[in-house]
Amino acid sequence: MAAVCQVTGAKPGFGHNISHSHRRTKRRFDPNVQKKTYFVPSLGRKVTLTLSAKGIKVIDARGIESVVSELQAKGVKL
């Protein structure tokens, strides 16, 4: 599963692990991505989205209808 939020667009960040001796090795900071299912009354069906924790909060604040209409305007297949 790709670690990308469909609502906020959050992607992995990259950086280094730094040891006590300051040797650096590459690492990845993954967003907290979850699969979540919502019922969308305008579509008359359930929609499964890949969301970060912040994306879930955005849906709670703005509502699933406005978020889904925005995603469809972007051309995201739901």
Side-chain angles (χ1 to χ4, degrees):
M1 176 168 83
V4 178
C5 177
Q6 288 182 299
V7 174
T8 62
K11 295 185 230 177
F14 295 90
H16 292 95
N17 282 325
I18 302 181
S19 71
H20 186 67
S21 65
H22 276 273
R23 290 180 63 103
R24 290 168 166 86
T25 55
K26 285 290 202 178
R27 66 158 293 178
R28 210 172 119 126
F29 297 91
D30 285 327
N32 183 8
V33 173
Q34 314 289 326
K35 276 201 171 191
K36 196 112 162 83
T37 303
Y38 291 96
F39 179 75
V40 183
S42 64
L43 299 177
R45 63 184 176 92
K46 292 179 182 178
V47 172
T48 302
L49 299 172
T50 305
L51 302 170
S52 63
K54 187 172 182 178
I56 293 170
K57 291 177 186 178
V58 167
I59 289 175
D60 289 345
R62 291 184 15 208
I64 187 67
E65 290 288 341
S66 68
V67 172
V68 165
S69 64
E70 186 179 297
L71 287 173
Q72 287 178 327
K74 285 183 192 174
V76 177
K77 185 174 182 277
L78 299 175

